[in-house]
Structures are given as structure tokens and as C-alpha cells.
Amino acid sequence: MATPSKVKLPAQLTAVEDLLLWHNVTKSAGVLALATALYVLLEWSGIPLLTWLSNALLVAVIGCALWAFGARFMNSTGPADHLPSILRTGLDEAAVRTLAEKLRVATNDLLALVNALLSGNDLMLTGKAVGALWIIGSVGRIITPMGLLYTDCVGGFLQAVGSVGRIITPMGLLYTAVLGLFTLPKVYEMRKDEIDEYLGKAQSTMQQQLNTGKAKATELYNRLTPKKPARPAASDISKDE
């Protein structure tokens, strides 16, 4: 049986990576079981989330106070010795700078995109934006807010959405995300070669379709755009004079 290749997650903490990739099966299973138990309690107990959080913090604060009080008498370790290092030392300056740099790069990319759209220099990008905005505007003219309120078909659709909303709650979505974090990275690690092969084929197909569409759009643009007459050279002008 082939050993699955190791996967490196974009996580700053090694403990988080080990947890999501099930390097310690007992620890990962325990955290997932705790998340499941919390989801069941919060979802089916009928008690508001704010009440659960306040009660949990109340129990934690009282428990830590009693633990610290007893530790002073028994000369043992207290809760302060078992807290995460981030609570004692604060945020790492290097990590904050790295995050700030990533945010700066993403913001600059967004600003560059807006600048390219507003300047009008990139005709291909402008065409894509015009097409997308025209489609959105057309849909907006067809589907008006009043039409949505008075159309039986849309009313049925909204009723279905409401029914789904009663089934899929915010806590359910959050728990689904937790399940995805605990399953998808491990599945990818176990089937990395096969998944990479399928993703490579899909990316190649999409790139071919994109290149074909781009070539057709460029050809259409060249047909519709009138060609400017060539300017005479300076030597020809001087000869005429």
C-alpha cells in the first residue's frame, strides 16, 4: 500500500496542521467529538447561543479562580502555567507583519483592478466588465422587487428558501465548515496524486476554452475597430516640401 504524500497546509501553527491532518488520531477525534457535542447542545437545546457562551465563560472563570486558589495552598501548577503562550506573550510581531503584508498586496491588487477599469486602457477587461454589468442590469429590469413579491412562482421559491433556512441554521453551517476542515485536508492528503491529476486536466480544459474565447473576442474587436491610416514618415514630408 502506497504511503500518502505529506500535505502542507497554509496554517501558521503546527498544532492546527497536525489536528486537521489527523497526525494524532486521538486528539483530532476528541476535538471533532467535542465540536459535535457542542453543536447538538446548541442546536437542539433551544437555549440561545449568547446564554451558552456566557454560562461557559462563567464556569471557566470560576473554575480557573478555584484552581489558582487551590494551587497556592498545594504548591502545584495553576491555570496560568497551562494557558497558551499567545495569552502570555501576545501577538508575534513577525506574524503580524506577514499578515499586514498579505493584506497590503491584496488591497493593491484590488486597487490596480479598479484603476485598469476606470482608466480604460485594458480593452479586454473593460469589455468583460461591460458585459457583466449589462447582464446584471438586464436581470434587474426583469426581476424587480415588486415582481418578486407578487409572483406566485417566486413566492414558492422564497417559501422553499425559508424552509431551507429553518433546516440549515447558522450553527449548522458552522458545523458543516468544521466537518469540512477535519475531512477535506485528510482526503486530499490520502488521494493527492489522483486529485492533482483531475484538477490539472480541468485547469487545462478551462485554459483552452479561455484562450479560444479570448482569441475570438480579439478577432471580433479587430473587425469592429476601424484601422487608423498610417502617418507619413518625416522624410517623405520633407521631400514634398
Side-chain angles (χ1 to χ4, degrees):
M1 180 179 179
T3 303
S5 55
K6 295 295 182 180
V7 173
K8 183 68 177 178
L9 296 180
Q12 298 294 333
L13 299 178
T14 307
V16 176
E17 181 177 339
D18 294 339
L19 189 68
L20 298 180
L21 291 178
W22 294 74
H23 292 165
N24 188 337
V25 178
T26 303
K27 188 175 181 180
S28 298
V31 173
L32 183 58
L34 178 61
T36 303
L38 290 176
Y39 166 71
V40 172
L41 288 175
L42 293 174
E43 189 69 22
W44 301 104
S45 64
I47 301 177
L49 178 61
L50 183 61
T51 303
W52 272 109
L53 291 177
S54 61
N55 290 337
L57 291 175
L58 177 64
V59 173
V61 169
I62 295 176
C64 289
L66 294 176
W67 184 6
F69 183 76
R72 284 196 294 267
F73 285 96
M74 295 183 293
N75 294 326
S76 60
T77 59
D81 299 323
H82 299 274
L83 293 176
S85 59
I86 190 174
L87 296 178
R88 298 191 298 267
T89 61
L91 294 174
D92 186 13
E93 184 177 357
V96 173
R97 287 183 177 179
T98 302
L99 179 60
E101 180 64 20
K102 293 180 179 180
L103 292 176
R104 184 187 68 83
V105 172
T107 303
N108 288 338
D109 292 341
L110 179 60
L111 293 177
L113 177 61
V114 174
N115 177 66
L117 284 173
L118 297 182
S119 62
N121 295 328
D122 192 342
L123 297 178
M124 187 65 65
L125 181 61
T126 302
K128 293 178 181 178
V130 170
L133 293 175
W134 180 82
I135 292 174
I136 294 175
S138 300
V139 173
R141 287 192 297 269
I142 297 173
I143 304 177
T144 61
M146 294 303 297
L148 289 176
L149 291 176
Y150 290 98
T151 303
D152 294 336
C153 181
V154 176
F157 173 74
L158 293 178
Q159 184 178 3
V161 171
S163 301
V164 173
R166 288 192 295 269
I167 298 173
I168 304 176
T169 60
M171 287 302 302
L173 293 176
L174 180 60
Y175 181 67
T176 302
V178 172
L179 285 179
L181 289 175
F182 274 89
T183 54
L184 295 180
K186 187 61 179 179
V187 171
Y188 177 71
E189 185 181 46
M190 297 175 63
R191 302 289 183 179
K192 184 178 184 301
D193 296 335
E194 299 176 10
I195 295 176
D196 288 343
E197 181 181 359
Y198 292 143
L199 291 178
K201 292 180 179 179
Q203 183 179 4
S204 177
T205 303
M206 291 179 61
Q207 188 64 37
Q208 292 177 0
Q209 297 296 330
L210 180 61
N211 293 336
T212 303
K214 188 175 181 180
K216 292 182 179 180
T218 304
E219 182 181 357
L220 180 61
Y221 173 78
N222 292 333
R223 290 180 180 178
L224 298 178
T225 303
K227 295 183 179 180
K228 296 181 180 179
R231 297 180 59 183
S235 58
D236 297 336
I237 297 176
S238 60
K239 289 179 181 180
D240 295 338
E241 293 177 354

